[in-house]
Amino acid sequence: MKANTILITNDDGIAAPGLKALAEVMKELGEITIVAPDSPQSGMGHAITINNTLHVEHITGFLNTNQAYTCSGTPVDCVKMAVHEIMKKKPSICVSGINHGSNSSINVIYSGTMSAAVEAGIEGVPAIGFSFCNYSWEANFEPLKKYVKKITSEVLKNGLPEGVVLNVNFPNTEKIKGIKICRQAKAIWEEEFDKRTNPMGKEYYWLTGKFVNHDKGEDTDEWALANGYISIVPVHFDLTAYHAVQQLNSWDL
Amino acid sequence: MKANTILITNDDGIAAPGLKALAEVMKELGEITIVAPDSPQSGMGHAITINNTLHVEHITGFLNTNQAYTCSGTPVDCVKMAVHEIMKKKPSICVSGINHGSNSSINVIYSGTMSAAVEAGIEGVPAIGFSFCNYSWEANFEPLKKYVKKITSEVLKNGLPEGVVLNVNFPNTEKIKGIKICRQAKAIWEEEFDKRTNPMGKEYYWLTGKFVNHDKGEDTDEWALANGYISIVPVHFDLTAYHAVQQLNSWDL
Protein backbone atom coordinates (compact mmCIF):
# COMPACT_ATOMS: atom_id res chain seq x y z
CA MET A 1 0.00 0.00 0.00
CA LYS A 2 1.25 3.45 -0.87
CA ALA A 3 1.99 5.63 2.13
CA ASN A 4 -0.15 8.65 2.87
CA THR A 5 1.51 11.98 2.15
CA ILE A 6 0.66 14.52 4.82
CA LEU A 7 1.13 18.28 4.59
CA ILE A 8 1.40 19.99 7.97
CA THR A 9 1.11 23.73 8.50
CA ASN A 10 -0.14 26.20 11.12
CA ASP A 11 -0.48 29.90 11.86
CA ASP A 12 1.52 30.12 15.08
CA GLY A 13 4.74 29.62 13.15
CA ILE A 14 7.42 26.96 12.85
CA ALA A 15 8.44 27.13 16.53
CA ALA A 16 5.00 26.49 18.01
CA PRO A 17 4.65 23.47 20.35
CA GLY A 18 1.26 22.74 18.76
CA LEU A 19 2.94 22.13 15.38
CA LYS A 20 5.36 19.71 16.99
CA ALA A 21 2.52 17.79 18.66
CA LEU A 22 0.65 17.56 15.36
CA ALA A 23 3.76 16.36 13.51
CA GLU A 24 4.37 13.67 16.13
CA VAL A 25 0.91 12.23 15.51
CA MET A 26 1.12 12.50 11.73
CA LYS A 27 4.39 10.58 11.58
CA GLU A 28 2.37 7.54 12.68
CA LEU A 29 0.02 7.98 9.71
CA GLY A 30 2.31 8.69 6.75
CA GLU A 31 5.15 10.66 5.20
CA ILE A 32 5.07 14.21 6.51
CA THR A 33 6.04 17.51 4.90
CA ILE A 34 6.01 20.59 7.12
CA VAL A 35 5.63 24.04 5.53
CA ALA A 36 4.97 26.58 8.27
CA PRO A 37 5.19 30.37 8.52
CA ASP A 38 8.58 31.66 9.68
CA SER A 39 6.81 33.95 12.16
CA PRO A 40 3.46 33.98 14.00
CA GLN A 41 0.52 34.66 11.66
CA SER A 42 -2.46 34.58 14.01
CA GLY A 43 -5.50 36.47 12.79
CA MET A 44 -4.30 36.53 9.21
CA GLY A 45 -7.54 35.04 7.90
CA HIS A 46 -7.36 34.10 4.23
CA ALA A 47 -4.65 36.66 3.45
CA ILE A 48 -2.23 35.98 0.60
CA THR A 49 0.98 37.76 -0.33
CA ILE A 50 0.54 39.48 -3.68
CA ASN A 51 2.38 42.76 -3.20
CA ASN A 52 5.55 41.28 -1.76
CA THR A 53 8.06 38.49 -2.39
CA LEU A 54 8.04 35.10 -0.70
CA HIS A 55 11.02 33.26 0.75
CA VAL A 56 11.32 29.57 1.58
CA GLU A 57 13.96 27.97 3.79
CA HIS A 58 14.68 24.27 4.25
CA ILE A 59 15.10 23.43 7.94
CA THR A 60 17.56 20.57 8.29
CA GLY A 61 16.69 17.88 10.79
CA PHE A 62 13.64 19.68 12.16
CA LEU A 63 11.54 17.21 14.20
CA ASN A 64 13.62 14.38 12.69
CA THR A 65 12.24 14.89 9.21
CA ASN A 66 14.09 15.98 6.12
CA GLN A 67 10.94 17.63 4.76
CA ALA A 68 10.51 20.76 6.85
CA TYR A 69 10.38 24.28 5.47
CA THR A 70 9.56 27.78 6.59
CA CYS A 71 7.80 30.28 4.34
CA SER A 72 7.86 34.04 4.82
CA GLY A 73 4.16 34.34 3.91
CA THR A 74 0.78 33.67 5.44
CA PRO A 75 -0.67 30.22 6.25
CA VAL A 76 -2.50 30.29 2.89
CA ASP A 77 0.78 31.09 1.12
CA CYS A 78 2.35 28.11 2.91
CA VAL A 79 -0.28 25.74 1.47
CA LYS A 80 0.06 27.15 -2.06
CA MET A 81 3.84 26.97 -1.84
CA ALA A 82 3.78 23.42 -0.44
CA VAL A 83 1.44 21.98 -3.07
CA HIS A 84 2.82 23.80 -6.13
CA GLU A 85 6.51 24.33 -5.42
CA ILE A 86 7.74 22.07 -2.63
CA MET A 87 5.74 18.82 -2.87
CA LYS A 88 4.79 19.52 -6.48
CA LYS A 89 1.74 17.28 -6.01
CA LYS A 90 -1.39 17.13 -3.93
CA PRO A 91 -0.83 15.45 -0.57
CA SER A 92 -3.28 12.80 0.72
CA ILE A 93 -4.33 15.25 3.41
CA CYS A 94 -3.45 18.66 4.87
CA VAL A 95 -3.58 19.23 8.62
CA SER A 96 -3.21 22.66 10.21
CA GLY A 97 -2.42 23.45 13.83
CA ILE A 98 -2.62 22.47 16.55
CA ASN A 99 -3.53 26.11 17.13
CA HIS A 100 -2.78 27.69 20.47
CA GLY A 101 -6.27 29.06 21.10
CA SER A 102 -9.85 28.56 20.00
CA ASN A 103 -11.06 28.77 16.41
CA SER A 104 -14.67 27.93 17.20
CA SER A 105 -17.70 29.94 16.11
CA ILE A 106 -16.99 33.18 14.19
CA ASN A 107 -13.26 32.80 14.94
CA VAL A 108 -13.13 30.47 11.94
CA ILE A 109 -13.24 33.52 9.71
CA TYR A 110 -10.25 35.32 11.28
CA SER A 111 -8.19 32.18 11.73
CA GLY A 112 -5.00 31.56 9.81
CA THR A 113 -5.13 27.93 10.96
CA MET A 114 -8.52 27.39 9.37
CA SER A 115 -7.72 29.46 6.28
CA ALA A 116 -4.80 27.13 5.56
CA ALA A 117 -7.21 24.18 5.77
CA VAL A 118 -9.74 25.99 3.57
CA GLU A 119 -7.06 26.76 0.99
CA ALA A 120 -6.14 23.06 0.86
CA GLY A 121 -9.84 22.29 0.42
CA ILE A 122 -10.07 24.76 -2.48
CA GLU A 123 -7.18 22.90 -4.09
CA GLY A 124 -9.05 19.62 -3.70
CA VAL A 125 -7.02 18.29 -0.75
CA PRO A 126 -8.92 16.84 2.26
CA ALA A 127 -8.09 19.13 5.16
CA ILE A 128 -8.52 19.56 8.89
CA GLY A 129 -7.74 22.50 11.16
CA PHE A 130 -7.06 21.57 14.79
CA SER A 131 -7.26 24.12 17.61
CA PHE A 132 -6.94 23.86 21.38
CA CYS A 133 -8.92 26.26 23.58
CA ASN A 134 -5.79 26.98 25.58
CA TYR A 135 -3.62 29.91 24.54
CA SER A 136 -0.57 28.94 26.62
CA TRP A 137 2.69 28.06 24.88
CA GLU A 138 3.06 25.46 27.66
CA ALA A 139 -0.33 23.82 27.03
CA ASN A 140 -0.30 20.03 27.35
CA PHE A 141 -1.14 18.55 23.94
CA GLU A 142 -0.58 14.92 25.00
CA PRO A 143 -4.22 14.09 25.88
CA LEU A 144 -5.33 15.43 22.47
CA LYS A 145 -3.09 13.20 20.39
CA LYS A 146 -5.27 10.08 20.30
CA TYR A 147 -8.23 12.16 19.09
CA VAL A 148 -6.13 13.94 16.45
CA LYS A 149 -5.04 10.54 15.19
CA LYS A 150 -8.59 9.12 15.20
CA ILE A 151 -10.16 12.08 13.39
CA THR A 152 -7.36 12.23 10.79
CA SER A 153 -7.59 8.47 10.24
CA GLU A 154 -11.33 8.73 9.61
CA VAL A 155 -10.78 11.46 7.02
CA LEU A 156 -8.05 9.41 5.33
CA LYS A 157 -10.44 6.43 5.27
CA ASN A 158 -13.72 8.13 4.29
CA GLY A 159 -12.57 11.28 2.51
CA LEU A 160 -14.62 14.44 2.88
CA PRO A 161 -17.62 15.72 0.88
CA GLU A 162 -16.47 17.98 -1.96
CA GLY A 163 -15.94 21.55 -0.88
CA VAL A 164 -15.88 20.70 2.84
CA VAL A 165 -13.04 20.87 5.37
CA LEU A 166 -13.16 20.23 9.13
CA ASN A 167 -12.80 22.73 11.95
CA VAL A 168 -11.84 20.73 15.05
CA ASN A 169 -11.61 22.42 18.45
CA PHE A 170 -10.51 20.80 21.70
CA PRO A 171 -12.01 21.92 25.02
CA ASN A 172 -9.63 23.16 27.70
CA THR A 173 -10.38 20.35 30.11
CA GLU A 174 -8.59 17.38 31.63
CA LYS A 175 -11.55 15.09 30.96
CA ILE A 176 -12.68 15.05 27.34
CA LYS A 177 -16.15 13.49 27.14
CA GLY A 178 -16.16 12.68 23.43
CA ILE A 179 -16.67 14.21 19.98
CA LYS A 180 -19.68 16.16 18.66
CA ILE A 181 -20.43 17.14 15.06
CA CYS A 182 -21.62 20.73 15.38
CA ARG A 183 -22.73 23.86 13.62
CA GLN A 184 -20.90 27.20 13.99
CA ALA A 185 -22.38 29.10 16.94
CA LYS A 186 -23.67 32.61 16.30
CA ALA A 187 -21.26 34.52 18.49
CA ILE A 188 -19.31 37.74 18.02
CA TRP A 189 -16.42 39.75 19.36
CA GLU A 190 -17.55 42.92 21.08
CA GLU A 191 -14.63 45.11 20.17
CA GLU A 192 -12.90 47.46 22.49
CA PHE A 193 -9.87 49.43 21.43
CA ASP A 194 -7.21 50.00 24.05
CA LYS A 195 -6.06 53.56 23.30
CA ARG A 196 -2.57 54.50 24.42
CA THR A 197 0.00 57.24 23.92
CA ASN A 198 3.46 56.42 22.62
CA PRO A 199 6.69 57.97 24.00
CA MET A 200 6.48 60.66 21.28
CA GLY A 201 3.01 61.71 22.46
CA LYS A 202 1.14 60.14 19.55
CA GLU A 203 -1.99 58.07 20.10
CA TYR A 204 -2.26 54.47 18.99
CA TYR A 205 -4.54 51.49 19.55
CA TRP A 206 -4.51 47.81 20.42
CA LEU A 207 -7.43 45.76 19.09
CA THR A 208 -9.03 43.92 21.96
CA GLY A 209 -12.51 42.69 22.79
CA LYS A 210 -14.83 40.31 24.55
CA PHE A 211 -16.16 37.12 22.97
CA VAL A 212 -19.93 36.93 23.43
CA ASN A 213 -22.04 33.89 22.50
CA HIS A 214 -25.72 34.69 22.00
CA ASP A 215 -26.49 31.23 20.62
CA LYS A 216 -28.14 28.89 23.14
CA GLY A 217 -28.30 25.97 20.70
CA GLU A 218 -27.00 22.65 22.02
CA ASP A 219 -25.89 21.67 18.51
CA THR A 220 -23.21 24.40 18.40
CA ASP A 221 -19.45 24.20 18.74
CA GLU A 222 -19.58 26.56 21.71
CA TRP A 223 -21.99 24.28 23.56
CA ALA A 224 -19.85 21.22 22.87
CA LEU A 225 -16.66 22.91 24.07
CA ALA A 226 -18.31 24.36 27.18
CA ASN A 227 -19.55 20.86 28.05
CA GLY A 228 -16.26 19.04 27.65
CA TYR A 229 -16.67 17.73 24.09
CA ILE A 230 -14.42 18.09 21.06
CA SER A 231 -16.34 20.06 18.40
CA ILE A 232 -16.12 19.25 14.70
CA VAL A 233 -17.76 21.76 12.36
CA PRO A 234 -17.80 20.90 8.66
CA VAL A 235 -16.86 24.16 6.91
CA HIS A 236 -17.48 25.10 3.27
CA PHE A 237 -16.15 27.84 1.03
CA ASP A 238 -19.06 28.34 -1.30
CA LEU A 239 -20.18 31.48 0.51
CA THR A 240 -23.39 31.87 -1.51
CA ALA A 241 -26.38 32.48 0.76
CA TYR A 242 -28.73 30.43 -1.41
CA HIS A 243 -31.72 31.18 0.81
CA ALA A 244 -31.36 34.88 -0.06
CA VAL A 245 -31.35 34.53 -3.86
CA GLN A 246 -35.13 34.32 -4.16
CA GLN A 247 -35.68 37.38 -1.98
CA LEU A 248 -33.13 39.48 -3.90
CA ASN A 249 -34.77 38.46 -7.16
CA SER A 250 -37.94 40.20 -5.96
CA TRP A 251 -36.15 43.55 -5.68
CA ASP A 252 -36.55 46.37 -8.19
CA LEU A 253 -33.11 46.10 -9.80
CA MET B 1 -36.44 61.93 8.20
CA LYS B 2 -33.11 61.10 9.76
CA ALA B 3 -30.26 60.98 7.25
CA ASN B 4 -28.59 57.70 6.43
CA THR B 5 -25.12 57.29 7.92
CA ILE B 6 -22.81 55.58 5.48
CA LEU B 7 -19.45 54.00 6.27
CA ILE B 8 -17.13 53.76 3.27
CA THR B 9 -14.00 51.64 3.16
CA ASN B 10 -11.93 49.65 0.66
CA ASP B 11 -8.80 47.54 0.34
CA ASP B 12 -6.94 49.51 -2.33
CA GLY B 13 -6.22 52.25 0.20
CA ILE B 14 -7.24 55.86 0.74
CA ALA B 15 -5.78 57.10 -2.57
CA ALA B 16 -7.68 54.71 -4.85
CA PRO B 17 -9.89 56.26 -7.56
CA GLY B 18 -12.49 53.57 -6.85
CA LEU B 19 -12.94 54.88 -3.31
CA LYS B 20 -13.45 58.39 -4.63
CA ALA B 21 -16.08 57.20 -7.11
CA LEU B 22 -17.91 55.32 -4.35
CA ALA B 23 -17.83 58.34 -2.03
CA GLU B 24 -19.23 60.59 -4.75
CA VAL B 25 -22.27 58.33 -5.11
CA MET B 26 -22.77 57.89 -1.37
CA LYS B 27 -22.84 61.64 -0.75
CA GLU B 28 -26.15 61.64 -2.63
CA LEU B 29 -27.57 59.05 -0.23
CA GLY B 30 -26.51 60.24 3.23
CA GLU B 31 -23.81 61.42 5.61
CA ILE B 32 -20.55 59.68 4.77
CA THR B 33 -17.66 58.60 6.95
CA ILE B 34 -14.57 57.25 5.19
CA VAL B 35 -12.19 54.93 7.06
CA ALA B 36 -9.76 53.42 4.57
CA PRO B 37 -6.40 51.66 4.88
CA ASP B 38 -3.41 54.00 4.65
CA SER B 39 -1.78 51.63 2.15
CA PRO B 40 -2.99 49.01 -0.35
CA GLN B 41 -4.35 45.88 1.36
CA SER B 42 -5.34 43.70 -1.58
CA GLY B 43 -5.46 39.99 -0.86
CA MET B 44 -5.63 40.55 2.90
CA GLY B 45 -8.76 38.39 3.26
CA HIS B 46 -10.26 38.56 6.72
CA ALA B 47 -6.95 39.45 8.39
CA ILE B 48 -6.99 41.48 11.60
CA THR B 49 -4.13 43.16 13.43
CA ILE B 50 -3.62 41.48 16.78
CA ASN B 51 0.15 41.41 17.15
CA ASN B 52 0.74 45.04 16.26
CA THR B 53 -0.53 48.52 17.06
CA LEU B 54 -3.04 50.49 14.99
CA HIS B 55 -2.82 54.13 14.02
CA VAL B 56 -5.62 56.40 12.82
CA GLU B 57 -5.21 59.74 11.06
CA HIS B 58 -7.89 62.33 10.32
CA ILE B 59 -7.57 63.59 6.74
CA THR B 60 -8.71 67.19 6.58
CA GLY B 61 -10.85 68.17 3.62
CA PHE B 62 -10.51 64.82 1.85
CA LEU B 63 -13.18 64.59 -0.89
CA ASN B 64 -14.87 67.62 0.68
CA THR B 65 -15.89 65.76 3.80
CA ASN B 66 -14.75 66.36 7.35
CA GLN B 67 -15.20 62.67 8.16
CA ALA B 68 -12.31 60.95 6.44
CA TYR B 69 -9.70 58.82 8.19
CA THR B 70 -6.88 56.46 7.37
CA CYS B 71 -6.13 53.40 9.47
CA SER B 72 -2.80 51.55 9.50
CA GLY B 73 -4.55 48.16 9.60
CA THR B 74 -6.42 45.84 7.29
CA PRO B 75 -9.86 46.50 5.76
CA VAL B 76 -11.44 44.49 8.61
CA ASP B 77 -9.56 46.62 11.15
CA CYS B 78 -10.94 49.72 9.39
CA VAL B 79 -14.52 48.56 9.90
CA LYS B 80 -13.96 47.66 13.56
CA MET B 81 -12.20 50.99 14.16
CA ALA B 82 -14.93 52.93 12.35
CA VAL B 83 -17.86 51.40 14.21
CA HIS B 84 -16.34 51.23 17.70
CA GLU B 85 -13.94 54.17 17.90
CA ILE B 86 -14.64 56.74 15.18
CA MET B 87 -18.41 56.70 14.55
CA LYS B 88 -19.08 55.08 17.95
CA LYS B 89 -22.35 53.72 16.53
CA LYS B 90 -23.54 51.42 13.82
CA PRO B 91 -23.95 53.17 10.47
CA SER B 92 -27.09 52.63 8.35
CA ILE B 93 -24.93 50.79 5.83
CA CYS B 94 -21.31 49.96 5.03
CA VAL B 95 -20.05 50.02 1.44
CA SER B 96 -16.62 48.77 0.42
CA GLY B 97 -14.77 49.47 -2.83
CA ILE B 98 -15.10 50.15 -5.61
CA ASN B 99 -12.35 47.57 -5.91
CA HIS B 100 -9.88 47.81 -8.77
CA GLY B 101 -10.29 44.23 -10.00
CA SER B 102 -12.72 41.32 -9.77
CA ASN B 103 -13.90 39.74 -6.54
CA SER B 104 -16.17 37.22 -8.21
CA SER B 105 -16.21 33.49 -7.57
CA ILE B 106 -13.55 32.16 -5.15
CA ASN B 107 -11.88 35.61 -5.10
CA VAL B 108 -14.45 36.55 -2.46
CA ILE B 109 -12.42 34.58 0.06
CA TYR B 110 -9.10 36.38 -0.59
CA SER B 111 -10.65 39.81 -0.96
CA GLY B 112 -10.05 42.59 1.53
CA THR B 113 -12.93 44.50 -0.08
CA MET B 114 -15.39 41.72 0.66
CA SER B 115 -13.92 40.93 4.08
CA ALA B 116 -14.64 44.53 5.13
CA ALA B 117 -18.25 44.04 4.02
CA VAL B 118 -18.45 40.68 5.81
CA GLU B 119 -17.05 42.23 9.00
CA ALA B 120 -19.76 44.90 8.86
CA GLY B 121 -22.30 42.11 8.38
CA ILE B 122 -20.97 40.29 11.44
CA GLU B 123 -21.49 43.50 13.41
CA GLY B 124 -25.10 43.65 12.22
CA VAL B 125 -24.60 46.44 9.64
CA PRO B 126 -26.08 45.95 6.14
CA ALA B 127 -23.09 45.83 3.80
CA ILE B 128 -22.11 45.71 0.15
CA GLY B 129 -18.75 45.13 -1.52
CA PHE B 130 -18.41 46.65 -5.00
CA SER B 131 -15.73 45.51 -7.46
CA PHE B 132 -14.96 46.40 -11.06
CA CYS B 133 -13.40 43.75 -13.33
CA ASN B 134 -10.83 46.28 -14.48
CA TYR B 135 -7.52 46.46 -12.63
CA SER B 136 -6.42 49.80 -14.10
CA TRP B 137 -5.95 52.79 -11.81
CA GLU B 138 -7.37 54.82 -14.75
CA ALA B 139 -10.53 52.70 -15.08
CA ASN B 140 -13.65 54.74 -15.85
CA PHE B 141 -16.06 54.37 -12.93
CA GLU B 142 -18.63 56.88 -14.27
CA PRO B 143 -20.91 54.34 -16.03
CA LEU B 144 -21.05 52.27 -12.82
CA LYS B 145 -22.30 55.05 -10.58
CA LYS B 146 -26.00 54.82 -11.37
CA TYR B 147 -25.96 51.09 -10.58
CA VAL B 148 -24.03 51.61 -7.35
CA LYS B 149 -26.66 54.13 -6.31
CA LYS B 150 -29.57 51.87 -7.29
CA ILE B 151 -28.24 48.78 -5.49
CA THR B 152 -27.33 50.74 -2.35
CA SER B 153 -30.74 52.44 -2.34
CA GLU B 154 -32.48 49.06 -2.52
CA VAL B 155 -30.47 47.77 0.44
CA LEU B 156 -31.25 50.93 2.42
CA LYS B 157 -34.94 50.46 1.58
CA ASN B 158 -35.30 46.68 2.01
CA GLY B 159 -32.50 45.80 4.40
CA LEU B 160 -30.74 42.45 3.97
CA PRO B 161 -31.54 39.02 5.41
CA GLU B 162 -29.71 38.46 8.71
CA GLY B 163 -26.19 37.18 8.22
CA VAL B 164 -26.06 38.13 4.53
CA VAL B 165 -23.97 40.77 2.71
CA LEU B 166 -23.76 41.47 -1.02
CA ASN B 167 -20.84 40.83 -3.36
CA VAL B 168 -21.39 43.07 -6.40
CA ASN B 169 -19.10 42.81 -9.43
CA PHE B 170 -19.21 45.00 -12.54
CA PRO B 171 -18.26 43.57 -15.93
CA ASN B 172 -15.47 45.27 -17.84
CA THR B 173 -17.66 46.41 -20.70
CA GLU B 174 -18.97 49.65 -22.15
CA LYS B 175 -22.48 48.24 -22.42
CA ILE B 176 -23.87 46.85 -19.19
CA LYS B 177 -26.93 44.71 -19.95
CA GLY B 178 -28.43 44.65 -16.47
CA ILE B 179 -28.17 42.99 -13.05
CA LYS B 180 -28.27 39.28 -12.18
CA ILE B 181 -28.59 37.68 -8.74
CA CYS B 182 -26.06 34.84 -8.87
CA ARG B 183 -24.34 32.07 -7.03
CA GLN B 184 -20.56 31.92 -6.56
CA ALA B 185 -19.02 30.05 -9.51
CA LYS B 186 -16.82 27.06 -8.74
CA ALA B 187 -13.54 28.39 -10.09
CA ILE B 188 -9.99 28.30 -8.80
CA TRP B 189 -6.58 29.87 -9.21
CA GLU B 190 -4.08 27.48 -10.71
CA GLU B 191 -1.00 28.70 -8.93
CA GLU B 192 2.33 29.24 -10.49
CA PHE B 193 5.24 30.66 -8.56
CA ASP B 194 7.58 32.96 -10.44
CA LYS B 195 10.99 31.97 -9.02
CA ARG B 196 13.73 34.60 -9.22
CA THR B 197 17.18 35.28 -7.81
CA ASN B 198 17.89 38.48 -5.90
CA PRO B 199 21.06 40.57 -6.32
CA MET B 200 22.63 38.66 -3.40
CA GLY B 201 22.10 35.34 -5.17
CA LYS B 202 19.24 34.19 -2.96
CA GLU B 203 16.09 32.70 -4.46
CA TYR B 204 12.66 34.21 -3.88
CA TYR B 205 9.16 33.87 -5.31
CA TRP B 206 6.26 35.91 -6.59
CA LEU B 207 2.82 34.35 -6.23
CA THR B 208 1.09 34.30 -9.60
CA GLY B 209 -1.46 32.10 -11.28
CA LYS B 210 -4.20 31.57 -13.79
CA PHE B 211 -7.89 31.91 -12.97
CA VAL B 212 -9.78 28.89 -14.25
CA ASN B 213 -13.58 28.57 -14.21
CA HIS B 214 -14.79 24.97 -14.45
CA ASP B 215 -18.40 25.94 -13.72
CA LYS B 216 -20.62 26.08 -16.81
CA GLY B 217 -23.72 27.14 -14.84
CA GLU B 218 -25.58 30.14 -16.25
CA ASP B 219 -26.64 31.14 -12.73
CA THR B 220 -23.06 31.97 -11.69
CA ASP B 221 -21.34 35.30 -11.22
CA GLU B 222 -18.74 34.34 -13.83
CA TRP B 223 -21.44 33.72 -16.43
CA ALA B 224 -23.14 37.02 -15.67
CA LEU B 225 -19.90 39.00 -15.91
CA ALA B 226 -18.78 37.26 -19.11
CA ASN B 227 -22.15 38.13 -20.64
CA GLY B 228 -22.19 41.82 -19.76
CA TYR B 229 -24.27 41.68 -16.57
CA ILE B 230 -23.54 43.01 -13.11
CA SER B 231 -23.40 40.06 -10.72
CA ILE B 232 -24.79 40.18 -7.19
CA VAL B 233 -23.98 37.21 -4.97
CA PRO B 234 -25.55 37.13 -1.49
CA VAL B 235 -22.71 36.02 0.80
CA HIS B 236 -23.01 34.57 4.30
CA PHE B 237 -20.55 33.99 7.09
CA ASP B 238 -22.04 30.98 8.78
CA LEU B 239 -19.53 28.63 7.18
CA THR B 240 -21.20 25.46 8.48
CA ALA B 241 -21.65 22.90 5.70
CA TYR B 242 -25.01 21.71 7.03
CA HIS B 243 -25.33 19.08 4.33
CA ALA B 244 -22.22 17.34 5.70
CA VAL B 245 -23.34 17.05 9.33
CA GLN B 246 -25.43 13.94 8.75
CA GLN B 247 -22.61 12.15 6.92
CA LEU B 248 -20.06 12.97 9.60
CA ASN B 249 -22.42 11.69 12.26
CA SER B 250 -22.21 8.26 10.62
CA TRP B 251 -18.46 8.08 11.18
CA ASP B 252 -16.83 5.97 13.87
CA LEU B 253 -15.73 8.81 16.13
Side-chain angles (χ1 to χ4, degrees), chain B residues 67 106 252:
Chain B
Q67 294 298 316
I106 196 66
D252 179 28

PDB file of all heavy atoms in Angstrom, chain B residues 67 106 252:
ATOM      1  N   GLN B  67     -15.210  63.980   7.515  1.00  0.00           N
ATOM      2  CA  GLN B  67     -15.205  62.668   8.161  1.00  0.00           C
ATOM      3  C   GLN B  67     -14.435  61.653   7.328  1.00  0.00           C
ATOM      4  O   GLN B  67     -14.994  60.688   6.821  1.00  0.00           O
ATOM      5  CB  GLN B  67     -16.646  62.190   8.388  1.00  0.00           C
ATOM      6  CG  GLN B  67     -17.413  63.037   9.385  1.00  0.00           C
ATOM      7  CD  GLN B  67     -16.780  62.999  10.776  1.00  0.00           C
ATOM      8  OE1 GLN B  67     -16.392  61.933  11.249  1.00  0.00           O
ATOM      9  NE2 GLN B  67     -16.640  64.161  11.401  1.00  0.00           N
ATOM     10  N   ILE B 106     -14.353  32.474  -6.339  1.00  0.00           N
ATOM     11  CA  ILE B 106     -13.550  32.160  -5.148  1.00  0.00           C
ATOM     12  C   ILE B 106     -12.739  33.371  -4.678  1.00  0.00           C
ATOM     13  O   ILE B 106     -12.271  33.411  -3.532  1.00  0.00           O
ATOM     14  CB  ILE B 106     -12.611  30.949  -5.423  1.00  0.00           C
ATOM     15  CG1 ILE B 106     -12.054  30.356  -4.114  1.00  0.00           C
ATOM     16  CG2 ILE B 106     -11.483  31.308  -6.374  1.00  0.00           C
ATOM     17  CD1 ILE B 106     -13.106  29.717  -3.226  1.00  0.00           C
ATOM     18  N   ASP B 252     -17.181   6.663  12.634  1.00  0.00           N
ATOM     19  CA  ASP B 252     -16.834   5.966  13.870  1.00  0.00           C
ATOM     20  C   ASP B 252     -15.937   6.855  14.729  1.00  0.00           C
ATOM     21  O   ASP B 252     -14.721   6.656  14.804  1.00  0.00           O
ATOM     22  CB  ASP B 252     -16.130   4.649  13.502  1.00  0.00           C
ATOM     23  CG  ASP B 252     -15.726   3.873  14.738  1.00  0.00           C
ATOM     24  OD1 ASP B 252     -16.400   4.019  15.773  1.00  0.00           O
ATOM     25  OD2 ASP B 252     -14.725   3.139  14.665  1.00  0.00           O
TER      26      ASP B 252
END
